[in-house]
Amino acid sequence: MSRSPPRRLVIDGAPFICSVRRGPVSADPACTVLSAYGAGRRLRIRFAADPASGRLSGDAGLATGSVRTADGQWINLHRPAVMRALIDAGLAAADVRGEERDGWALLAVAALPADADAGSGGPA
């Protein structure tokens, strides 16, 4: 498993420790997970690859922490503004106490920054 160094974000006045990791090589489908822990809450946002629909993640030849949406947009999950938007959407979705959320569903409702794909390592 590949893991980025943890990042500290303050969300709604509470500190959260966030990290992005690639799922196990043996996982089927491949996945990338954004995790956030803080303020008595734990949230895991999972992006499972679905090449048939154009959603790429995990070991699909992407830079670690990048996902590609069905419409071809590359998202860099390491960017603090992207992390925050997804965590805000995940926390607003329901009471979060150790739950895992579908990252693709959260992308549809998250207020991502206009340059969410900057530095993703995806193709130009």
Side-chain angles (χ1 to χ4, degrees), residues 57-106:
S57 177
D59 67 354
L62 306 176
T64 302
S66 293
V67 295
R68 190 185 86 171
T69 63
D71 65 359
Q73 182 181 12
W74 294 87
I75 308 292
N76 182 351
L77 300 177
H78 290 290
R79 300 204 52 234
V82 172
M83 283 181 171
R84 182 181 177 104
L86 289 168
I87 293 166
D88 283 344
L91 293 175
D95 180 35
V96 178
R97 289 191 177 97
E99 292 191 34
E100 186 169 278
R101 300 272 184 239
D102 175 25
W104 304 115
L106 291 180

Side-chain angles (χ1 to χ4, degrees), residues 8-17 37-41 84:
R8 183 179 182 271
L9 295 177
V10 176
I11 300 173
D12 292 333
F16 279 78
I17 302 298
Y37 305 94
R41 301 179 189 174
R84 182 181 177 104

